[in-house]
Amino acid sequence: MFSYVIKRAVATLPVMAMVAVVVFAMLRLTPGDPAAILAGDDASGAQLEAIRRSMGLDQPIMVQLYVWMKQLAQGDLGVSLLSGTPVLEMIGGRIGPTLSLAVLTILLTIVVAIPMGVVAARNPGGLLDRTVMTFSVLGFSIPTFVIGYLLIYLMALKLGWFPVQGYSSVDKGLWPFFQRLVLPTLALSGIYIALVARMTRSSVIDVMGEDFIRTARAKGAKETSVLLRHALRNAAVPIVTVIGIGVASLITGVVVTESVFNLPGLGRLVVEAVLARDYPVIQGLILLFSFTYVLINLVVDILYTVFDPRIRY
């Protein structure tokens, strides 16, 4: 297993290098000029040229790419074209809300979705099963931002249970921290709960028809034990796969959710950098998200061996 992890880590390097080149090229080919945004509408041509020169944008594209790749090799993501702040420092200052929202969303998804799927699989076609399937369809159909605005209207404006927007760090108290993340977590977790619950139901129903399930029942095992000890464990591989995909796709959901609830996380930073054409910030964030995606795939592969001893690398 250790050698497999090392091989996957080494194989990540050319993948990340290719991502860096593609992202760099795409940003340079898209319309927009960060110098014009920084200078304003009344800037003269000479002022624009001076700003481009100070940013290094007057250099040929290949020279800019070489300079950036050299910085990456040294662990430097560059500095923001607009604020002059190092990109790593900007990411470090914004990663807290995003990590908090992502972790709470994953935990809520696992705690709610897996029991829902198991309960639905216990009696396929029954009332609980139809209820779970209806919720899954609604979860897939309603966009995250719609759920977010509905939660704000009902629970914040009408009932006054939670703040409308904003973020409070843990060092300011656990209750303010959780109070400001309840609505974003509920809004973001809806689609993932629907996805994991549906997959859990399907996987457990497939396993329930296997011979070892009939053997466990013939030995007098209780239905709860059959579901949890035998069926759910053997159905875990596709469930873990879907959870991994959901965690990776949180990147998109975080951008929308943080914009709706005004959370100062990486999602908001992406939007701000794109609107300002801040190339180093966009490049650094996409590299971070790409590395996160690769890391999640590696963790999922390792979890396969935990739930299914037959899998070896």
Side-chain angles (χ1 to χ4, degrees):
M1 174 60 70
F2 180 75
S3 61
Y4 172 76
V5 173
I6 296 299
K7 290 178 182 178
R8 285 290 298 270
V10 173
T12 300
L13 297 178
V15 173
M16 298 303 298
M18 184 60 67
V19 170
V21 173
V22 171
V23 170
F24 182 90
M26 290 181 63
L27 288 176
R28 293 313 186 276
L29 293 175
T30 53
D33 185 358
I37 296 175
L38 182 62
D41 297 333
D42 299 329
S44 64
Q47 290 174 324
L48 288 176
E49 286 301 324
I51 294 175
R52 291 193 187 99
R53 194 177 306 112
S54 66
M55 292 179 171
L57 299 177
D58 61 326
Q59 300 291 331
I61 291 181
M62 294 306 297
V63 174
Q64 296 181 42
L65 176 61
Y66 170 76
V67 171
W68 187 55
M69 294 297 286
K70 185 178 178 180
Q71 290 176 338
L72 282 182
Q74 299 171 352
D76 183 10
L77 296 179
V79 297
S80 169
L81 295 179
L82 301 183
S83 66
T85 307
V87 175
L88 282 175
E89 183 179 328
M90 296 179 69
I91 292 175
R94 296 286 196 102
I95 200 170
T98 300
L99 276 180
S100 302
L101 178 59
V103 170
L104 289 177
T105 299
I106 295 166
L107 291 177
L108 181 63
T109 298
I110 293 174
V111 170
V112 174
I114 293 179
M116 282 177 60
V118 172
V119 169
R122 184 170 187 173
N123 184 23
L127 177 60
L128 288 176
D129 184 29
R130 291 197 297 270
T131 302
V132 170
M133 294 303 293
T134 301
F135 173 81
S136 298
V137 172
L138 291 175
F140 282 121
S141 304
I142 304 176
T144 301
F145 71 91
V146 173
I147 298 176
Y149 286 127
L150 286 175
L151 290 174
I152 289 175
Y153 178 75
L154 292 175
M155 295 190 176
L157 297 179
K158 287 295 183 180
L159 299 176
W161 291 349
F162 303 100
V164 176
Q165 294 177 329
Y167 174 76
S168 178
S169 58
V170 180
D171 54 5
K172 295 181 180 179
L174 283 178
W175 173 239
F177 170 75
F178 285 111
Q179 190 181 32
R180 284 165 174 77
L181 285 177
V182 168
L183 295 185
T185 301
L186 291 176
L188 183 56
S189 62
I191 186 171
Y192 301 109
I193 291 175
L195 176 65
V196 175
R198 191 182 185 95
M199 178 55 68
T200 302
R201 172 190 176 275
S202 300
S203 300
V204 172
I205 288 176
D206 290 341
V207 172
M208 291 296 283
E210 298 292 336
D211 292 338
F212 65 87
I213 296 295
R214 287 194 291 269
T215 302
R217 285 171 172 164
K219 289 182 177 180
K222 296 181 179 180
E223 193 66 19
T224 302
S225 176
V226 171
L227 279 170
L228 299 181
R229 291 188 57 190
H230 302 282
L232 182 59
R233 180 178 178 84
N234 286 275
V237 170
I239 297 173
V240 169
T241 303
V242 170
I243 292 175
I245 295 173
V247 172
S249 61
L250 275 175
I251 296 170
T252 306
V254 161
V255 173
V256 176
T257 307
E258 288 184 356
S259 298
V260 171
F261 290 94
N262 195 27
L263 299 177
L266 296 181
R268 282 286 304 281
L269 184 59
V270 169
V271 176
E272 295 168 2
V274 169
L275 292 177
R277 301 294 190 273
D278 198 340
Y279 296 148
V281 177
I282 301 172
Q283 292 165 177
L285 288 170
I286 293 178
L287 281 179
L288 175 63
F289 293 153
S290 301
F291 177 75
T292 303
Y293 193 90
V294 173
L295 181 63
I296 290 170
N297 285 333
L298 178 59
V299 172
V300 169
D301 287 345
I302 295 173
L303 288 177
Y304 286 162
T305 63
V306 175
F307 292 104
D308 192 342
R310 296 171 296 179
I311 298 177
R312 288 290 180 268
Y313 297 112

